[in-house]
Amino acid sequence: MSNARADRDAVRAQELAAEQQYLDTLYEKLDALREETAQRLKDTLRDSGGPPQARTERDISARMYTDKLSQLSAVEHGMCFGRLDLDSGETFHIGRIGLFDEDNEYEPLLLDWRAPAARPFYLATAAARDGVRRRRHLRTSWRKVLDYEDEVLDLDAAEQGSDLGLAGEATLLARLDARRTGQMQDIVATIQAEQDRIIRAGMNGVLVVQGGPGTGKTAVALHRAAYLLYTFREQLSKRGVLVVGPNETFLRYIGQVLPSLGETGVLLSTVGGLYPGITATGVESARAAEIKGRASMVDVLTAAVRDRQQVPSDHVEVTFDREPLRIDRATATQARTRARRTRRPHNLARRVFRDEMFRALTLQVADRLGRDLLDRRDLDEINVELRADPAVDRALDELWPETSPQQLLDELLSSPELLASASRKHLDDAERAELLRPAGSPWTPADVPLLDELAELLGEDDEQARAERERQEREELAYAQGVLHIMEQDEEIADEERLRVKDVLDAELLAERFRARSDLTAAERAAEDRTWTFGHVIVDEAQELSPMAWRVLMRRCPSRSMTLVGDVAQTGALAGADTWHEVLHPYVQDRWKLAELTVNYRTPAEIMDVAADVLAAMDTDLEAPKSVRTSGHRPWARRVGDLAAALPGAVAEELREVEDGRLAVLMPPELLAEVGPRVVESLPEAAMGTSPDDLDSPAVLLTVEQAKGLEFDSVLLVEPAAIAAGSERGLNDLYVALTRATQRLGVLHTEDLPEVLRKIG
């Protein structure tokens, strides 16, 4: 070994030892914080007595310490991943959270990656150094430093870098080549400049992030959620952040990213999960889902609601006080018109309709008794008796019933007559037949936007609930006044404390604190409240959402503070978007911003070369993102005679190739239902992908729709011709399927390969 090499090795060993020593200091600080927080939580929970104000403050403190412990636990792995050496001589280490030295004027020991001072770690280049002399990327395993990579930001060093301008190229490529685990990992240590600009963009308005396969769209969206919560904590902690994904498997896949970034208060949901009390597990055809997703369904549902507001064809007779009462068409029509003119939702306008009808029926009874002989009190008594009469109540309820979204939608989709009446201007016979199903069928994801729309159209007659709430608030106020009075009279309370409480807390404020008392975070409260509006909404795979689904999300975010992440070239849903303009114009016109991700970090060049031909065959102006690496594995194709017999062996063979990695077997839905169980039966390592936990299996069998947003070490694509011909967006589905792999791609087929796959034919 040369002296120069020995010197370099000695210097490297010294640097590693120094970094290890510093990392040990950071973990000592982390352990001390954990111990201190755990003790404070223990002390808080032990204190169960005291006045109501003290109990409220105890609950708030307990929640705060619990959240802090969760954050400190979540950052254990990879807590520190970088260092900045500045021209000024200062050195800053960068990590998942911020740590400070309280004994030294709160000097930063570790900068949170979201802090403004940490931004040069992601953006500094040789051409724009921003005062950075050297950027160091640390590779750690739990509490041990394994290696580091230095970037000296001078012009000579810049010439040695990637033509894509990658920061920490060796660290990034090592991360990209690592085996997948069934759960998405954060990219906080390897964020690239174009990703950082999107992550740190302002919160106001709609930001659309368009990016091809493997460009890190999902990772950018999740890191953006963490950044916004860090930067705009006060605003967002009250209203929360909603992250919407395409399916439960996807949510399971990304579930650990935000906790690893120190954030635990974000609501992750599908659109189908945004209606409290509804579990949308039903299955329906893609065509039925597309029909339900059309914007015209608003008119269909509006008509269905109006169909519940009936008048007699001539008249209805009902017995009251042993005498017939006549509910005639003209009177009912007049009452209905007045109710509709209020423009209130159905269940609230129902009260107006009934008031008008009871008034008319009261006069009818009065005329029978001799109206001239009755005074105002007599008329009021007749009105009360009419309202209490079951027969009259049933008759009016037949004309204008109170109903729920679930009841109305179930009736609509199970009745040919009701559906035909509501949809005669919007659906043809074949489309109505596609929607009809037995009463009581399980709810599907496409039903949820319809239920949400009906909830808006129907409203909730909360008169009794409001009266009860007002009564409870009066009791709470009286109780709070009593508490303050006791505190003023209690001789054990110091005068200083009594005056402080009196200065800052009156009875109304104390009562408000009682009402606000909750052990739930904003995200948890939002999950239970359909009318909750969020501070910011992030939508992944946004191109898949139907017009009806967009109405749901826009109601959840009236401020229009949104980040929409997707790729219109990957749209697979028939009701999905072709352009971002068509999605957003009804809500914000042209007042939205577009950011693009252009570098493919996931898909190796060998596979992307094949996928680019599929993209070129689509009717789109989008270009394939440029891959940052090659894998050394060329895609292969194998034609077989008996797919069911050949597939288990092909899966077993590919599992041996990826060793500890993850394999996805992607195929058309009908084929998956037919041959999937046989593969799972013969291979214990394989799972059908019916549950989010199946992603932990070495091999998982999925449809292309189920695989959206996911990535695997290897993909075995089965019958690509059937996938391409399976829907109007078959080429989009094929493009998605080809770009799920990080290392290897194989194709198994019995039919001829599509022409767009000629490079692997």
Side-chain angles (χ1 to χ4, degrees):
M1 181 184 298
S2 67
N3 290 335
R5 175 69 179 274
D7 290 343
R8 285 196 301 270
D9 289 347
V11 170
R12 192 168 191 85
Q14 291 174 357
E15 289 289 320
L16 284 171
E19 293 294 356
Q20 182 63 60
Q21 184 177 3
Y22 196 84
L23 190 66
D24 292 341
T25 301
L26 293 177
Y27 276 106
E28 287 174 7
K29 181 65 177 178
L30 181 68
D31 291 340
L33 282 173
R34 282 177 180 164
E35 184 177 350
E36 178 185 350
T37 306
Q39 185 60 49
R40 289 185 176 181
L41 176 60
K42 184 177 179 180
D43 294 341
T44 300
L45 295 176
R46 187 185 295 119
D47 181 14
S48 58
Q53 179 188 356
R55 293 199 299 270
T56 299
E57 292 175 353
R58 179 204 64 194
D59 291 343
I60 294 172
S61 296
R63 181 74 199 203
M64 179 183 68
Y65 293 138
T66 300
D67 289 346
K68 184 66 175 178
L69 271 179
S70 297
Q71 181 192 50
L72 295 175
S73 297
V75 300
E76 168 73 28
H77 183 49
M79 181 175 64
C80 175
F81 52 78
R83 192 179 94 182
L84 285 176
D85 296 349
L86 306 183
D87 291 338
S88 63
E90 294 178 288
T91 296
F92 294 108
H93 280 76
I94 314 296
R96 297 174 183 277
I97 59 172
L99 296 177
F100 300 90
D101 184 357
E102 295 89 342
D103 297 330
N104 190 20
E105 297 182 348
Y106 282 86
E107 281 292 315
L109 298 173
L110 185 66
L111 279 181
D112 191 303
W113 67 275
R114 296 166 289 188
R119 195 172 190 190
F121 185 77
Y122 301 109
L123 292 185
T125 65
R129 294 194 298 114
D130 200 13
V132 176
R133 180 175 58 83
R134 176 171 61 181
R135 172 169 49 211
R136 171 168 290 180
H137 297 264
L138 297 173
R139 188 158 63 89
T140 64
S141 177
W142 297 103
R143 299 190 173 200
K144 182 177 178 56
V145 178
L146 301 179
D147 202 355
Y148 68 85
E149 174 197 1
D150 279 346
E151 293 177 273
V152 178
L153 300 183
D154 58 44
L155 294 178
D156 292 335
E159 295 173 358
Q160 301 168 10
S162 161
D163 63 341
L164 294 174
L166 302 178
E169 184 172 355
T171 303
L172 173 64
L173 295 180
R175 181 69 176 271
L176 296 176
D177 286 334
R179 296 299 189 194
R180 269 47 193 171
T181 65
Q183 288 191 337
M184 184 180 180
Q185 304 298 311
D186 65 69
I187 61 167
V188 63
T190 57
I191 293 171
Q192 299 299 303
E194 70 170 4
Q195 297 172 327
D196 185 81
R197 282 188 285 270
I198 294 170
I199 290 169
R200 297 177 192 261
M203 188 177 75
N204 295 332
V206 177
L207 174 65
V208 176
V209 183
Q210 164 69 40
T215 53
K217 299 184 298 297
T218 299
V220 165
L222 296 174
H223 287 68
R224 177 159 169 74
Y227 169 77
L228 292 176
L229 281 165
Y230 174 87
T231 307
F232 304 98
R233 179 77 62 186
E234 183 175 353
Q235 301 99 303
L236 294 180
S237 62
K238 298 176 182 177
R239 303 309 309 170
V241 173
L242 170 66
V243 175
V244 177
N247 53 55
E248 291 296 333
T249 300
F250 176 84
L251 296 182
R252 159 67 164 72
Y253 178 64
I254 68 172
Q256 292 304 308
V257 174
L258 283 166
S260 75
L261 296 173
E263 297 297 343
T264 57
V266 177
L267 178 62
L268 302 180
S269 180
T270 63
V271 172
L274 289 177
Y275 199 100
I278 294 296
T279 303
T281 57
V283 178
E284 63 189 343
S285 69
R287 187 63 173 167
E290 182 273 325
I291 296 168
K292 291 178 181 179
R294 296 176 187 174
S296 60
M297 286 301 295
V298 175
D299 296 326
V300 174
L301 296 176
T302 301
V305 171
R306 291 176 72 87
D307 283 346
R308 299 303 187 277
Q309 303 163 2
Q310 297 290 317
V311 296
S313 56
D314 181 25
H315 73 276
V316 173
E317 281 195 358
V318 60
T319 301
F320 172 72
D321 198 19
R322 291 178 292 184
E323 295 287 341
L325 273 181
R326 200 179 152 89
I327 301 175
D328 63 85
R329 179 180 179 85
T331 302
T333 300
Q334 184 178 24
R336 183 177 69 174
T337 300
R338 288 184 177 177
R340 285 178 172 175
R341 282 177 177 171
T342 66
R343 298 189 179 277
R344 297 178 184 175
H346 171 88
N347 288 331
L348 277 66
R350 175 177 180 268
R351 194 186 313 151
V352 177
F353 172 79
R354 290 170 68 88
D355 287 346
E356 290 292 322
M357 290 302 301
F358 281 124
R359 186 179 65 81
L361 293 175
T362 297
L363 295 178
Q364 190 178 142
V365 173
D367 287 340
R368 191 170 65 201
L369 297 176
R371 192 189 305 185
D372 294 342
L373 303 175
L374 304 176
D375 58 19
R376 181 74 260 171
R377 183 179 301 177
D378 295 326
L379 293 177
D380 290 343
E381 289 179 357
I382 294 171
N383 192 293
V384 170
E385 291 175 5
L386 282 167
R387 290 176 183 272
D389 189 278
V392 176
D393 184 74
R394 284 194 300 271
L396 295 183
D397 198 54
E398 286 289 325
L399 298 179
W400 194 304
E402 183 175 16
T403 187
S404 69
Q406 294 93 318
Q407 180 184 353
L408 194 153
L409 187 60
D410 188 54
E411 291 173 353
L412 180 67
L413 297 181
S414 61
S415 168
E417 295 78 18
L418 292 177
L419 185 58
S421 174
S423 64
R424 59 182 179 273
K425 295 181 180 179
H426 302 285
L427 302 178
D428 58 32
D429 290 342
E431 290 169 331
R432 282 190 283 270
E434 194 72 52
L435 294 185
L436 285 169
R437 66 192 188 195
S441 295
W443 299 114
T444 70
D447 288 332
V448 170
L450 305 186
L451 290 170
D452 200 73
E453 193 72 35
L454 283 171
E456 296 292 314
L457 294 170
L458 294 173
E460 182 181 358
D461 190 350
D462 61 351
E463 185 175 18
Q464 290 184 343
R466 186 169 61 252
E468 173 62 23
R469 190 163 56 248
E470 290 173 353
R471 183 196 63 78
Q472 185 176 352
E473 288 176 0
R474 287 195 298 271
E475 290 183 356
E476 289 168 346
L477 179 58
Y479 180 67
Q481 289 171 335
V483 169
L484 291 179
H485 178 71
I486 292 171
M487 293 179 68
E488 289 176 359
Q489 303 299 320
D490 193 340
E491 296 180 358
E492 294 185 4
I493 298 179
D495 290 341
E496 181 180 327
E497 176 67 14
R498 187 182 295 114
L499 289 173
R500 186 186 67 82
V501 172
K502 190 174 181 180
D503 286 343
V504 302
L505 198 65
D506 60 18
E508 290 187 358
L509 181 56
L510 182 57
E512 183 180 339
R513 287 192 180 184
F514 292 155
R515 289 193 293 274
R517 177 181 170 185
S518 173
D519 291 334
L520 301 179
T521 64
E524 291 166 337
R525 295 198 303 274
E528 299 177 357
D529 183 357
R530 190 197 68 83
T531 63
W532 188 276
T533 58
F534 291 88
H536 193 81
V537 172
I538 295 175
V539 187
D540 203 355
E541 300 292 342
Q543 76 280 353
E544 300 296 329
L545 269 58
S546 69
M548 289 300 293
W550 281 114
R551 289 177 65 86
V552 175
L553 293 182
M554 292 298 173
R555 277 194 285 270
R556 300 298 189 276
C557 192
S559 68
R560 303 295 188 260
S561 176
M562 308 178 82
T563 303
L564 313 179
V565 179
D567 178 14
V568 290
Q570 298 185 60
T571 304
L574 297 181
D578 290 315
T579 68
W580 296 116
H581 174 80
E582 73 180 57
V583 168
L584 295 172
H585 191 266
Y587 304 103
V588 295
Q589 287 77 50
D590 294 324
R591 299 188 302 275
W592 54 278
K593 295 172 287 187
L594 177 67
E596 294 188 75
L597 294 170
T598 59
V599 179
N600 188 334
Y601 302 98
R602 176 206 303 142
T603 316
E606 297 93 336
I607 298 176
M608 203 62 217
D609 188 39
V610 175
D613 289 341
V614 179
L615 180 64
M618 298 181 204
D619 185 17
T620 177
D621 296 329
L622 298 174
E623 295 184 3
K626 187 173 182 180
S627 297
V628 302
R629 77 197 210 289
T630 60
S631 67
H633 303 292
R634 291 190 58 79
W636 56 267
R638 183 187 309 158
R639 188 163 193 162
V640 298
D642 185 345
L643 187 62
L647 189 55
V651 172
E653 179 183 340
E654 194 61 24
L655 279 174
R656 288 191 292 272
E657 291 291 339
V658 296
E659 296 179 354
D660 295 329
R662 294 294 187 272
L663 166 67
V665 185
L666 307 183
M667 62 183 80
E670 301 80 9
L671 187 59
L672 179 61
E674 178 185 345
V675 305
R678 303 186 207 177
V679 176
V680 173
E681 184 179 352
S682 61
L683 290 174
E685 306 95 328
M688 277 284 286
T690 54
S691 161
D693 290 339
D694 290 333
L695 289 180
D696 291 332
S697 301
V700 58
L701 283 65
L702 301 164
T703 65
V704 177
E705 181 181 2
Q706 292 171 326
K708 275 188 177 294
L710 309 183
E711 60 182 34
F712 305 88
D713 297 284
S714 177
V715 167
L716 188 58
L717 181 58
V718 181
E719 295 292 25
I723 291 174
S727 76
E728 298 170 22
R729 299 186 187 272
L731 284 180
N732 302 63
D733 289 339
L734 186 57
Y735 184 59
V736 171
L738 291 170
T739 53
R740 297 306 95 195
T742 66
Q743 299 292 336
R744 296 171 55 85
L745 171 67
V747 178
L748 211 62
H749 60 107
T750 60
E751 305 175 23
D752 290 340
L753 290 177
E755 177 62 24
V756 290
L757 298 185
R758 59 187 176 275
K759 288 183 179 176
I760 56 174

